[in-house]
Amino acid sequence: MSLHNATIDWSAAPGDDFLAGHYSRAHVIGFDQGITLPGSASPSVVKAPWSVEAAADPEELFVASIASCHMLWFLDFARHAGVRVLSYRDEPEGRMGKLSSGKVGVVTCVLRPSVDCDAAAETLADLHHKAHEACNIANSVITEVRVEPAESLPV
């Protein structure tokens, strides 16, 4: 099996009062080939100025990773089915709440893909189902992951 890595870098800024909780949660997330992404705690969890709204927070990255994985599987299954896809857009949404354990976590993740392709609605539904079943990220989490495709545009 494959191994996947990332690098998370954070440093205290001059003037931070770490022990009082007055420190920035801004950090840098590094991936293969030197690609970096600004990260922060979610402003819904840590209020400004200690969080950065413009940065990606762990909850957003979690939802994006599920949606990205689903899309990649969908495209692969569509190709194998002979379905020509011109574009794919998703605006996934993760909802925080109490888990059955009583802890707070992402309780639902709803994918809302809109696909511009030459497939009938039934074929699209089947491709989304196959992609959902194959998605290794969705298969790795306890969060309920639903797929609610938007009406797709014919090619």
Side-chain angles (χ1 to χ4, degrees):
M1 289 283 145
S2 57
L3 182 65
H4 304 273
N5 299 301
T7 302
I8 311 299
D9 281 317
W10 174 90
S11 295
D16 281 355
D17 187 350
F18 184 80
L19 295 179
H22 299 162
Y23 61 95
S24 176
R25 278 32 169 220
H27 56 278
V28 176
I29 305 165
F31 298 99
D32 294 344
Q33 308 304 319
I35 296 169
T36 62
L37 180 69
S40 176
S42 169
S44 67
V45 176
V46 177
K47 303 298 181 207
W50 313 118
S51 63
V52 180
E53 189 171 351
D57 63 59
E59 295 83 1
E60 291 170 327
L61 291 166
F62 178 76
V63 170
S65 70
I66 294 170
S68 177
C69 185
H70 179 90
M71 180 200 68
L72 292 168
W73 278 108
F74 177 90
L75 294 173
D76 186 59
F77 285 123
R79 179 182 65 85
H80 281 89
V83 173
R84 185 169 49 106
V85 178
L86 297 179
S87 67
Y88 183 109
R89 180 182 175 92
D90 195 351
E91 296 182 20
E93 178 181 86
R95 183 164 308 280
M96 299 291 287
K98 274 211 174 161
L99 300 168
S100 60
S101 65
K103 296 178 181 180
V104 174
V106 178
V107 294
T108 59
C109 178
V110 180
L111 310 183
R112 295 189 176 96
S114 178
V115 183
D116 185 358
C117 68
D118 62 0
E122 187 176 289
T123 301
L124 277 174
D126 182 57
L127 292 171
H128 280 298
H129 176 75
K130 287 178 179 176
H132 180 61
E133 290 297 311
C135 177
N136 36 342
I137 304 299
N139 289 330
S140 301
V141 299
I142 60 170
T143 297
E144 175 190 354
V145 179
R146 295 192 317 260
V147 180
E148 298 174 356
E151 190 169 320
S152 296
L153 306 171
V155 174

